[in-house]
Amino acid sequence: MKVCQAYRFALDPSPVQQRALVSHAGAARFAWNWGLARCQERYEAEGKWYSAAELHKLWNAQKKADPGLAWWGMNSKCAYQEAFRDLDRALREFIMSKNGQRAGRRLGFPRLKKRGRCRDSFRLTGVLRCAGRNVTLPRLGTIGTCESTRKLARRLDNRSARILSATVSRTAQRWLVSFTVEVDRDVPDRHARPGSAAGIDLGVTRLLTGVDDTGTVISVAGPRPLRASLRRLRRASRAHSRKQPGSANRRKSAARLARVHARVANVRADALHKATTSLAARYETVVAEDLNVAGMTRNRTLARAISDQGFGRARRMLAYKTRWHGGKLLVADRWYPSSKTCSGCGAVKAKLALSERVYRCGQCGLVLDRDVNAARNLLHLAVSGTERLTACGGSVRPVPDGQRPLNQEPGTAHAGKTRTAARQQAAAA
Ligand SMILES: [Zn+2]
C-alpha cells in the first residue's frame, strides 16, 4: 500500500546557509505576491486567473526582461515555481469554498504575504537526498540536521520510499525540513488482534480516556512537560503584552513567546503520536466522537484552546494509523450525546455542564468518571453496530494517494457533512 507520509527534521544550517534559506523564503514570498498581482490584474480585465504553469511562463519572461529582478538566480527556480502552484491551489480552494464545495470554514481571498508577518517557508522538488545527519537540497547543498535521518535514509536505500518534495520552513527561529514521501507500507489484511475495540474520548484535563472491549480503562494523562510549558506560556504572553509596541523588548519577548508556543506544540504532538500509535496497534476498531472542530475555536482558556488544536490532529493520526494496522477508526455522528448518555442504562441527561467531572445517573444511580462514561458509550456504539457511526479516513483498502473519496480529508470530514456546512453558511448569510 502506497501512502504519503511526512518526515520532518530540524536543520542545523551554517550562517551562510541560513542566509540562503532566508533568501529562498523571500523568493517564494515575492513570487506569491507577484503572481497574485498578475492574477488580480487579469481578473479585473478578463474575469479569470492564470494557472501555475502560465504564471511560471510569464515569470520566466519577466525575470529576464526586468533588470530589477536580476537577483532571481540566487535561488532555486523551484522556490518560485512551487509558490505559483501554492497560489494556484489557494485560488481554486477559495472558489470552491465560495461555491460551498469545500468542507470547513469559509476561506477568504488569498492575501499578500509580508515579511515578518507570515511564515517563512518554501518548497523544493528535484534531487532531494538524506543520509546520516544531513540532507541535500537543490541549490542549497548539504545542510546538517539536528537529528539522524536514518529512518528515512534506510527506506530510500531499500527503495520502499520516494521523496516527492521538501518543504523548508522556519518556526520560532528554527529551520525545519519536511519531506513529503511516498512510502510503500506492508498493511496486513486483518488486524493482529481481530475483534478488539476501544471507545475513546479526547479530553481537556487528560489527553485521552478510553474503554476497551474487555472493560479496561485506558487513561493517557497530558504530558507533564506540557503542563509546565503552559505555565511558562501564560507568563511569557503576559510579559509580552506589557512591552511597548515596536520596541526591541517587544521583539525579544515575541521571539521568546514563539519559542514557548513551539515547544508546547511539539510536546503535545509527541504525546499524541505515542498515544495514537499504541491505540492503533492494540485495537482493530477505535471509536471516537465527532467534534465540531471549527465551532470550538473560540475558547477563552489557554489549555482548552491548545487541546482543541489537538482534537482534529489526534483524529487524523488515528485515521491513518489504524489503516496501517489493518484496523479502522469509526466516528460517532456529531449529534450523538456521548457525554450525556448513561453508559449503564442508556438514560440521556438534558444538560451536563463541562465542569461536572463525574457522571451521576438519576435513573440507575451509576456514578462514573465523565470521560470514562463517554468512552463506554462510544464503545457500545461500535459493538452494537448502529448507524450512528461513519468509517473515517476513506477506504480501508489501498487507494493511491490523491484519490481519496471526494470531500473527505483523511479523518476529518465525512461525506454529507460538507453540504450541511454549506447549508448552515447559506442560512447564516
Ligand atoms: Zn443510568
mmCIF file of all heavy atoms in Angstrom, residues 342-347 359 361-366, ligand 1:
data_model
loop_
_atom_site.group_PDB
_atom_site.id
_atom_site.type_symbol
_atom_site.label_atom_id
_atom_site.label_comp_id
_atom_site.label_asym_id
_atom_site.label_seq_id
_atom_site.Cartn_x
_atom_site.Cartn_y
_atom_site.Cartn_z
ATOM 1 N N CYS A 342 -26.148 7.810 29.840
ATOM 2 C CA CYS A 342 -25.656 6.926 30.888
ATOM 3 C C CYS A 342 -25.199 5.629 30.226
ATOM 4 O O CYS A 342 -25.949 5.024 29.459
ATOM 5 C CB CYS A 342 -26.765 6.646 31.894
ATOM 6 S SG CYS A 342 -26.317 5.329 33.045
ATOM 7 N N SER A 343 -23.979 5.220 30.514
ATOM 8 C CA SER A 343 -23.464 4.012 29.879
ATOM 9 C C SER A 343 -24.011 2.755 30.544
ATOM 10 O O SER A 343 -23.808 1.652 30.081
ATOM 11 C CB SER A 343 -21.933 4.009 29.896
ATOM 12 O OG SER A 343 -21.470 4.031 31.229
ATOM 13 N N GLY A 344 -24.715 2.937 31.685
ATOM 14 C CA GLY A 344 -25.305 1.789 32.363
ATOM 15 C C GLY A 344 -26.697 1.476 31.841
ATOM 16 O O GLY A 344 -26.973 0.356 31.409
ATOM 17 N N CYS A 345 -27.574 2.494 31.830
ATOM 18 C CA CYS A 345 -28.963 2.215 31.477
ATOM 19 C C CYS A 345 -29.412 2.919 30.205
ATOM 20 O O CYS A 345 -30.511 2.673 29.718
ATOM 21 C CB CYS A 345 -29.882 2.615 32.640
ATOM 22 S SG CYS A 345 -29.918 4.394 32.910
ATOM 23 N N GLY A 346 -28.596 3.815 29.681
ATOM 24 C CA GLY A 346 -28.953 4.462 28.415
ATOM 25 C C GLY A 346 -29.792 5.715 28.572
ATOM 26 O O GLY A 346 -30.184 6.312 27.579
ATOM 27 N N ALA A 347 -30.063 6.128 29.792
ATOM 28 C CA ALA A 347 -30.820 7.361 30.006
ATOM 29 C C ALA A 347 -29.980 8.542 29.518
ATOM 30 O O ALA A 347 -28.752 8.526 29.634
ATOM 31 C CB ALA A 347 -31.147 7.528 31.483
ATOM 32 N N TYR A 359 -20.058 11.626 36.225
ATOM 33 C CA TYR A 359 -21.406 11.401 35.720
ATOM 34 C C TYR A 359 -22.225 10.674 36.786
ATOM 35 O O TYR A 359 -21.839 9.619 37.254
ATOM 36 C CB TYR A 359 -21.348 10.561 34.437
ATOM 37 C CG TYR A 359 -22.679 10.441 33.752
ATOM 38 C CD1 TYR A 359 -23.048 11.317 32.753
ATOM 39 C CD2 TYR A 359 -23.581 9.443 34.130
ATOM 40 C CE1 TYR A 359 -24.275 11.225 32.138
ATOM 41 C CE2 TYR A 359 -24.817 9.341 33.513
ATOM 42 C CZ TYR A 359 -25.158 10.234 32.515
ATOM 43 O OH TYR A 359 -26.381 10.145 31.907
ATOM 44 N N CYS A 361 -25.982 9.160 37.363
ATOM 45 C CA CYS A 361 -27.237 8.877 36.670
ATOM 46 C C CYS A 361 -28.395 8.943 37.651
ATOM 47 O O CYS A 361 -28.368 8.330 38.712
ATOM 48 C CB CYS A 361 -27.182 7.510 36.003
ATOM 49 S SG CYS A 361 -28.706 7.116 35.142
ATOM 50 N N GLY A 362 -29.430 9.696 37.283
ATOM 51 C CA GLY A 362 -30.606 9.812 38.132
ATOM 52 C C GLY A 362 -31.514 8.591 38.010
ATOM 53 O O GLY A 362 -32.371 8.356 38.861
ATOM 54 N N GLN A 363 -31.363 7.810 36.962
ATOM 55 C CA GLN A 363 -32.234 6.658 36.712
ATOM 56 C C GLN A 363 -31.744 5.408 37.443
ATOM 57 O O GLN A 363 -32.480 4.777 38.176
ATOM 58 C CB GLN A 363 -32.300 6.366 35.210
ATOM 59 C CG GLN A 363 -32.756 7.541 34.373
ATOM 60 C CD GLN A 363 -34.240 7.812 34.501
ATOM 61 O OE1 GLN A 363 -35.037 6.893 34.603
ATOM 62 N NE2 GLN A 363 -34.616 9.088 34.534
ATOM 63 N N CYS A 364 -30.440 5.069 37.202
ATOM 64 C CA CYS A 364 -29.964 3.802 37.763
ATOM 65 C C CYS A 364 -28.913 4.013 38.851
ATOM 66 O O CYS A 364 -28.433 3.044 39.443
ATOM 67 C CB CYS A 364 -29.402 2.911 36.656
ATOM 68 S SG CYS A 364 -27.877 3.546 35.953
ATOM 69 N N GLY A 365 -28.564 5.267 39.112
ATOM 70 C CA GLY A 365 -27.628 5.528 40.198
ATOM 71 C C GLY A 365 -26.165 5.285 39.857
ATOM 72 O O GLY A 365 -25.317 5.236 40.740
ATOM 73 N N LEU A 366 -25.871 5.167 38.567
ATOM 74 C CA LEU A 366 -24.483 4.953 38.164
ATOM 75 C C LEU A 366 -23.636 6.196 38.464
ATOM 76 O O LEU A 366 -24.060 7.316 38.201
ATOM 77 C CB LEU A 366 -24.434 4.653 36.656
ATOM 78 C CG LEU A 366 -23.051 4.530 36.041
ATOM 79 C CD1 LEU A 366 -22.667 3.085 35.868
ATOM 80 C CD2 LEU A 366 -22.991 5.254 34.706
HETATM 81 ZN ZN ZN B 1 -28.196 5.081 34.246
#
